[in-house]
Amino acid sequence: MKAGLQARMDRLFNRHGDGRAVCVAADHGYMSDVTPNVVKLRAITEAVIRGGVDGILLSPGQAMRLAPLFQGRDGPALIVRADWMNMPRLGTSNVANAVPQRILLNEKMITAEQAIALGASAITIYLFVGYDDEVEALGVDKCARFVNECRRAGLPCIIEPIAYGRQVTGANIVELLTLGAREAAEIGADALKIPYTGDVDSFRHLIEVADIPVLVLGGARSDNERDALELYAEAQEAGAAGCLMGRNVTKSPDPQRLIEQLCGIAHKGWTVDEALRGEVWEYVKLKAHPAKCTGCNLCVVACVASHDGGSYGTHLARLRIDPGKGVGQFKVMFCTLCKKCIDVCPTQALRWHPQSGAVELLVERCDNCGKCVEICPTQVIVHSDEGVRIIGSGTPAAPQKELPWYPVVCDLCGGAPECARICPTGAIFIEERKAFSPLAE
Amino acid sequence: MDLKQRAYCDRILRVNLSTGAITTTSLPAEVMPLVLGGKGLGAWLLYTEQAPGTDPLSPDNMLIFHNGPLTGTTAPTAGRFGVTTRSPATGTYFDAYCGGYWGQMLKYAGYDALVVTGAADSPVMLVIDNDRVELRPADQLWGSTVTAATERLRDEFGHDWQSLVIGPPGEQQRNVASIFNETRALARGGVGAVMGSKRLKAIVVRGNRPVRVFDKQKYERALQLAFRAVRMSSKTTLLTREGTANILEIIDVMGALPTRNFQQGQFELADEVCGAAFREHNWKKDYACFACPIGCGKWTIPLDDGKVIEGPEYETIFALGPNCAIGSRETIIRLSWWCDEYGMDTISVGGVLGFVMELFQRGLISAAELDGIAPVWGDGAAAEALVAKMAKVEGCGVWLAQGVAAIAERYPEGKPFAMHVKGLEMPAYHPSAAKGTALAYAVSERGACHLRGAPLSELFGGAADPLTIAGKPQLFRDTQADTAAWDSACLCLFPGYGMTLKELWQLVVAATGFDYPAPADLQLLGERVSTLVRLFNVREGFARANDTLPARNLSQPMAGGPAAGHVVELEPMLDEYYRIMGWDHNGVPTPERLRQLGLAALLEPEVG
């Protein structure tokens, strides 16, 4: 059965000859809510296959129903979930389907032979660490028997350690996961499915300790499309052999694109930025959905922190949140690149920055007349705290003078504005500034 | 060690309202790595500077406002601040925390803490404009509601100032009084009464000082990880969508939603008052505190008479809804409006209403004693009339606003079902259906509290069977230490539904440069702070006898639901908890444990 095991491992991990696999976990349907990502499973499965996914994790029933999609030499590898547990039904994320949970339960619902008959290339089973000794002992026993069963059948067994229960705290979760990873390897797992530990160093350590291929899981979906890619890129940097990402993919508005992006990182060596944008924006502008603004002011502090020596604060921010009229009617006020300040400047001290396309102050030309501050429709040009001494040769082009203050203008952080990066609700975001040339205007 | 390069201002502002003296002192540099800030700093100042036996409403009681090292940065919820004092309701050490937009302003003005002592002869307000600090008369504001005072201050000072105010119950030193920053409150335990006893109506602050962290690059990296952890969490996603009310359904399913003054653990109208129902019918926009990526706050659609609130959140819904058998969302919003408008704590007010309704149900109180109001279960109009009495501090409201424990002294037959611990009304998790939480209510340094280490994960995290006591003391000890660390860093607890202590530790180490080799060191810090506040309470005469629960939880079996027949087996849990904490049988920390926690050397003169 060794040959069968190797063939199935290759089907999963070596479709691209790089030992990496981008996989989707779509086995949520029998444990959590009947959310759209569960109901539209066929469409999602087809989409991620179009995106070039290497493997898909399904419950046995869905594996039977969707089996035709896995056929053919280039079809993705099928991974089957062997067990059920009651933990996700507790109602943290799925109140409607909640049942009171008294103790953690975990049942096996398929054998290795049955999984192979379904065409599976691998099978996944949970291993709980940190709940209590009895549950952990039962879990180890179940996993050990199952690994043996898989080995006899020639089916790769992926163990998924979960740190869950009363012994788990924020202080020990990384240690528990690392321990669970090693435990799974000792039991005889062929690969691991495991959560990211949050940083590259501790995850690298976990992977070294496990010493078998590790697939990182994605966890709950983030609205920030960068998060899933960043998490995977970091896991891969730490040595992960791929990912088994669930809700981030299945709940994504565009699962195919996300898989293409993940595959780009896994198989083509793309960076997160390359994967994310797919195209280069030469110039950007800030845009806003004021209705989404909760008034948290993270943008304002992030703006200050990225300028002026890196301290945190709100003073001298290049944007602000106007409280507006009525409750919660915030207005996001930022540089709209309207050009009024450039036009009004009598000394041509303001211009488009040749690289970023933002407004730029040539301070040696500035007479601090204040016209730009006055005219700014969003009132985001502010007085500097301190003055500046210009030491020129004394000619009109290079004067010698002392300014008590100068206007502080938004520089779009050189093209990657911090305010848009940190905004938790997408109330401020960037768009491509098309058909713009700083010199022509 | 230059604390100014380690995310602190290294300045404590001290205002004595009796003498008018305004001074500043620096932080206790050698103590800071041991207590961090926030709760730890407040506890340190109160324990080391306040004379034992100080009357909570006397001029000598310290009212300490504090932020933390991360306050004012872009850390998730970095606007949070707290207040520490001795509570008139409980007589214990008392700390309360608040989001809103005041905390970072105090930091930007250049202060890690503000210590108010003394009492003014006539109403005053404190005006803090960076280094310019002054007291001004506030006779014009005295008597005004929270909203009216806040709006007048905003008109007078402008949008770049932030205010803290009390309402009439605070002025008249009632135990239900809170301190408000716009719609957000430092609540519970009568912290507003302490401010009122000093005749301090308002504190306005403005600042523009920067906050410098120890290692900017490392801090930004830690921020990235923290924010991602918050975003990639289904629990924080639910908080964004339905606020804290998202848990109401599951708590009801678990039989732990206190109903009719804790006579039941399930409410027949739970569907009417759950987060999804409020989302569908009553909320129109999310509200976030300063630097919060979650935004659990919600603005309501105005009621017919134009009343709008920010809320209600889960505790408010429980207290003013199920606890009074009220299943109308509009009534809950209306009652909540009275609390917010006049500056009262919704949990305590709801606790009072539920208690009075049960007294009435049992014929132990008459309508005549309540100015003609007959508080029948579920009667929204009667509830509103009582709340209005408390808000305006008139008639029966004068004594009702002193809280459940005080009312139970007037009606001693109600004591077995007076749902408070140490004088603080119980929050929204029925202790008989959640044994670890019951232990936390009994032991917590500020009375019945769900935010001082109650292992709520037993209810909605599935960490353990909520109906067993096995392992609960350890679970409580761990959660208590985590929470104390979180409060000392002075972040809101909600990012902790995505972040773990590890992400907090990464932020704290990068910001302060303090030598905490592992997340566990922060947990140790939390235990140290929890022990320090225990020492305060021990000094004020609190001991094992006070770590208890109402008879309803200890000897009256739950009537129905999943926890039917259950009572809280408190004594064995207390024994084990004290043992784990290194406290003696009476709940007093042993000298040996104080040495292990590094407290003995610091407190040498006091502990001996």
Side-chain angles (χ1 to χ4, degrees):
Chain A
M1 281 301 165
K2 200 161 185 303
L5 185 72
Q6 192 55 50
R8 291 186 178 95
M9 283 292 276
D10 282 345
R11 171 91 186 248
L12 179 59
F13 284 105
N14 238 348
R15 291 172 87 234
H16 295 265
D18 54 14
R20 293 208 186 108
V22 171
C23 307
V24 172
D27 59 330
H28 300 91
Y30 65 109
M31 287 185 283
S32 60
D33 261 0
V34 189
T35 46
N37 64 319
V38 165
V39 180
K40 290 192 231 147
L41 198 54
R42 175 174 287 272
I44 291 165
T45 307
E46 286 168 349
V48 298
I49 290 174
R50 280 198 302 276
V53 75
D54 297 311
I56 305 177
L57 172 64
L58 292 174
S59 64
Q62 293 298 349
M64 290 173 204
R65 237 158 269 140
L66 300 173
L69 299 176
F70 291 82
Q71 286 165 4
R73 209 173 48 169
D74 297 329
L78 170 67
I79 310 166
V80 172
R81 165 65 68 188
D83 50 355
W84 169 92
M85 62 170 167
N86 64 342
M87 182 261 268
R89 294 194 61 188
L90 185 69
T92 51
S93 58
N94 45 338
V95 171
N97 197 29
V99 288
Q101 179 190 305
R102 295 278 168 252
I103 191 147
L104 183 66
L105 297 176
N106 176 227
E107 290 294 334
K108 190 158 81 70
M109 18 180 246
I110 187 169
T111 66
E113 284 80 6
Q114 287 166 336
I116 285 178
L118 283 172
S121 299
I123 193 158
T124 304
I125 187 166
Y126 295 115
L127 172 65
F128 289 90
V129 284
Y131 191 87
D132 63 27
D133 291 350
E134 279 167 43
V135 169
E136 200 162 326
L138 281 173
V140 169
D141 180 61
K142 190 172 287 183
C143 284
R145 288 168 195 274
F146 196 65
V147 162
N148 278 323
E149 185 183 319
C150 289
R151 195 45 66 105
R152 279 198 303 277
L155 182 65
C157 180
I158 302 173
I159 292 184
E160 178 173 355
I162 295 187
Y164 175 72
R166 65 169 162 242
Q167 291 175 33
V168 183
T169 71
N172 69 12
I173 188 157
V174 173
E175 286 70 24
L176 276 174
L177 280 174
T178 309
L179 182 72
R182 183 66 200 184
E183 213 172 301
E186 297 285 352
I187 290 169
D190 298 293
L192 290 181
K193 177 187 181 208
I194 203 160
Y196 187 49
T197 52
D199 65 276
V200 174
D201 290 339
S202 62
F203 203 56
R204 180 178 290 130
H205 176 65
L206 181 150
I207 291 170
E208 283 168 5
V209 166
D211 204 25
I212 51 177
V214 170
L215 296 168
V216 68
L217 64 86
R221 185 177 120 75
S222 162
D223 282 331
N224 185 331
E225 55 177 354
R226 200 185 174 87
D227 282 329
L229 300 180
E230 236 174 51
L231 182 148
Y232 175 62
E234 285 178 22
Q236 184 174 299
E237 186 193 334
C243 62
L244 230 171
M245 226 172 249
R247 288 162 287 171
N248 277 284
V249 178
T250 59
K251 289 187 174 178
S252 164
D254 191 349
Q256 179 181 341
R257 178 154 163 266
L258 185 52
I259 290 298
E260 285 166 358
Q261 291 168 332
L262 287 167
C263 284
I265 296 171
H267 303 310
K268 297 176 193 164
W270 290 358
T271 64
V272 170
D273 280 315
E274 284 168 341
L276 196 61
R277 210 161 279 173
E279 61 181 33
V280 179
W281 289 355
E282 201 167 354
Y283 301 106
V284 300
K285 57 184 173 185
L286 286 168
K287 299 283 282 181
H289 286 307
K292 290 188 182 176
C293 178
T294 56
C296 77
N297 275 272
L298 274 169
C299 52
V300 176
V301 187
C303 175
V304 173
S306 61
H307 297 95
D308 311 327
S311 297
Y312 295 83
T314 50
H315 181 56
L316 287 186
R318 282 92 167 137
L319 81 167
R320 68 197 162 83
I321 304 298
D322 192 303
K325 294 187 176 71
V327 286
Q329 305 285 312
F330 300 104
K331 287 191 212 151
V332 193
M333 307 297 245
F334 50 81
C335 174
T336 60
L337 303 168
C338 73
K339 198 162 168 277
K340 286 201 170 79
C341 55
I342 295 179
D343 290 343
V344 79
C345 179
T347 59
Q348 284 84 49
L350 294 170
R351 64 163 187 177
W352 295 128
H353 189 285
Q355 273 81 48
S356 69
V359 176
E360 180 189 22
L361 173 74
L362 303 171
V363 74
E364 68 277 7
R365 292 190 194 167
C366 178
D367 284 339
N368 67 6
C369 66
K371 288 204 166 74
C372 54
V373 177
E374 263 168 52
I375 203 163
C376 178
T378 51
Q379 297 169 14
V380 291
I381 304 182
V382 293
H383 285 216
S384 66
D385 270 351
E386 286 168 14
V388 61
R389 178 185 296 236
I390 313 289
I391 304 168
S393 57
T395 62
Q400 275 194 357
K401 60 183 173 184
E402 207 168 319
L403 298 177
W405 63 271
Y406 56 90
V408 174
V409 293
C410 169
D411 60 359
L412 288 173
C413 297
E418 286 293 314
C419 50
R421 187 187 60 80
I422 203 164
C423 179
T425 62
I428 308 182
F429 57 99
I430 53 172
E431 266 187 7
E432 184 176 15
R433 190 180 180 193
K434 290 181 182 144
F436 168 78
S437 159
L439 300 175
E441 303 216 359
Chain B
M1 183 169 23
D2 185 1
L3 289 171
K4 289 196 197 70
Q5 303 298 324
R6 294 169 180 264
Y8 296 94
C9 308
D10 198 14
R11 268 203 314 182
I12 300 171
L13 178 62
R14 292 169 185 270
V15 178
N16 185 322
L17 295 172
S18 295
T19 64
I22 295 168
T23 55
T24 60
T25 54
S26 53
L27 288 172
E30 71 291 353
V31 177
M32 293 315 286
L34 292 168
V35 300
L36 197 54
K39 178 182 184 122
L41 177 60
W44 173 260
L45 293 172
L46 193 73
Y47 186 83
T48 56
E49 296 186 11
Q50 180 141 316
T54 301
D55 179 347
L57 295 176
S58 73
D60 291 339
N61 192 15
M62 299 164 77
L63 186 64
I64 308 166
F65 298 90
H66 38 71
N67 47 46
L70 310 183
T71 310
T73 70
T74 47
T77 70
R80 201 146 177 97
F81 66 106
V83 69
T84 297
T85 190
R86 186 174 181 206
S87 157
T90 66
T92 62
Y93 154 94
F94 207 93
D95 57 337
Y97 301 89
C98 178
Y101 285 78
W102 194 86
Q104 87 283 355
M105 268 307 185
L106 184 69
K107 182 102 173 227
Y108 293 156
Y111 308 101
D112 303 296
L114 159 65
V115 180
V116 181
T117 51
D121 295 330
S122 59
V124 290
M125 66 168 142
L126 179 62
V127 181
I128 305 170
D129 187 5
N130 285 316
D131 289 346
R132 283 187 31 225
V133 183
E134 57 175 342
L135 289 164
R136 293 190 196 170
D139 305 275
Q140 303 289 320
L141 286 174
W142 200 252
S144 57
T145 66
V146 166
T147 316
T150 302
E151 279 171 8
R152 280 187 61 164
L153 291 168
R154 196 189 297 128
D155 289 347
E156 187 181 337
F157 288 87
H159 277 293
D160 49 345
W161 291 73
Q162 286 293 330
S163 63
L164 273 186
V165 304
I166 53 170
E171 294 169 6
Q172 306 200 31
Q173 305 173 31
R174 300 296 96 187
N175 284 342
V176 299
S178 306
I179 304 171
F180 273 70
N181 169 235
E182 308 209 329
T183 57
R184 292 271 153 172
L186 291 158
R188 316 224 67 204
V191 290
V194 175
M195 193 156 151
S197 74
K198 300 185 178 310
R199 286 176 205 82
L200 180 59
K201 176 72 180 181
I203 306 173
V204 291
V205 59
R206 178 175 74 167
N208 61 12
R209 300 286 178 71
V211 179
R212 229 175 284 282
V213 295
F214 185 72
D215 186 334
K216 173 83 192 283
Q217 208 180 351
K218 205 168 148 190
Y219 191 63
E220 281 290 325
R221 176 73 188 134
L223 283 171
Q224 189 189 353
L225 299 177
F227 271 93
R228 191 169 66 203
V230 171
R231 284 192 295 260
M232 299 190 87
S233 154
S234 50
K235 290 180 187 168
T236 56
T237 306
L238 269 171
L239 276 172
T240 302
R241 205 170 73 210
E242 295 180 6
T244 53
N246 78 79
I247 61 170
L248 191 138
E249 271 177 298
I250 183 68
I251 300 298
D252 185 63
V253 168
M254 303 295 281
L257 178 64
T259 301
R260 292 181 175 81
N261 196 39
F262 294 73
Q263 293 184 67
Q264 296 150 279
Q266 289 182 317
F267 185 42
E268 62 277 12
L269 297 174
D271 285 352
E272 291 292 314
V273 297
C274 67
F278 274 99
R279 176 113 212 150
E280 191 181 341
H281 300 288
N282 304 88
W283 288 332
K284 64 168 184 181
K285 196 168 194 308
D286 296 346
Y287 164 95
C289 300
F290 182 83
C292 175
I294 300 171
C296 73
K298 310 290 163 221
W299 289 109
T300 57
I301 296 165
L303 296 177
D304 293 342
D305 54 5
K307 289 189 170 74
V308 169
I309 62 162
E310 188 248 297
E313 47 78 58
Y314 172 64
E315 292 290 334
T316 300
I317 295 172
F318 132 78
L320 304 173
N323 200 44
C324 305
I326 289 171
S328 152
R329 290 185 302 278
E330 282 68 28
T331 302
I332 293 170
I333 290 173
R334 198 173 295 278
L335 296 174
S336 179
W337 178 88
W338 279 97
C339 294
D340 290 1
E341 183 69 22
Y342 285 81
M344 300 188 290
D345 171 38
T346 53
I347 303 179
S348 292
V349 167
V352 167
L353 289 179
F355 184 47
V356 171
M357 284 176 169
E358 184 163 355
L359 286 173
F360 190 77
Q361 168 201 328
R362 298 184 187 283
L364 298 172
I365 198 170
S366 68
E369 291 162 277
L370 295 167
D371 304 346
I373 301 162
V376 178
W377 290 117
D379 184 340
E384 189 176 358
L386 288 177
V387 173
K389 294 267 180 194
M390 287 191 255
K392 295 175 176 168
V393 201
E394 60 185 32
C396 62
V398 175
W399 50 271
L400 288 177
Q402 285 297 69
V404 167
I407 300 170
E409 289 302 321
R410 281 173 84 106
Y411 299 94
E413 289 148 300
K415 280 191 178 176
F417 53 90
M419 303 310 288
H420 71 90
V421 175
K422 300 188 179 81
L424 192 69
E425 292 77 9
M426 254 185 209
Y429 308 88
H430 202 304
S432 304
K435 305 293 172 66
T437 301
L439 175 64
Y441 283 6
V443 173
S444 146
E445 60 266 28
R446 64 170 207 170
C449 182
H450 58 300
L451 298 175
R452 296 295 178 274
L456 302 177
S457 57
E458 67 182 337
L459 283 171
F460 49 80
D465 181 349
L467 296 180
T468 67
I469 62 168
K472 293 302 168 62
Q474 183 67 45
L475 187 61
F476 168 48
R477 179 264 161 205
D478 291 346
T479 319
Q480 186 185 39
D482 281 11
T483 309
W486 221 276
D487 286 338
S488 297
C490 223
L491 291 190
C492 174
L493 301 182
F494 292 164
Y497 285 119
M499 291 165 67
T500 66
L501 198 66
K502 179 183 160 232
E503 280 82 22
L504 182 71
W505 166 75
Q506 287 168 330
L507 285 173
V508 166
V509 169
T512 63
F514 289 163
D515 180 25
Y516 304 134
D521 293 283
L522 219 45
Q523 207 175 46
L524 183 72
L525 184 145
E527 186 179 331
R528 181 182 305 123
V529 170
S530 295
T531 304
L532 181 58
V533 299
R534 180 75 180 185
L535 286 177
F536 181 95
N537 287 348
V538 166
R539 196 170 69 182
E540 299 297 345
F542 288 86
R544 185 178 184 121
N546 306 94
D547 291 345
T548 188
L549 293 166
R552 170 150 291 164
N553 301 124
L554 294 178
S555 54
Q556 299 173 10
M558 281 286 275
H566 275 267
V567 293
V568 180
E569 310 93 321
L570 185 60
E571 295 304 318
M573 285 199 289
L574 276 183
D575 285 339
E576 192 181 339
Y577 172 76
Y578 289 169
R579 186 184 56 73
I580 292 169
M581 291 297 283
W583 299 356
D584 66 17
H585 180 75
N586 201 28
V588 179
T590 58
E592 189 194 348
R593 178 57 69 120
L594 296 183
R595 267 195 303 280
Q596 288 165 352
L597 291 171
L599 278 173
L602 284 176
L603 300 172
E604 207 58 54
E606 286 85 0
V607 176

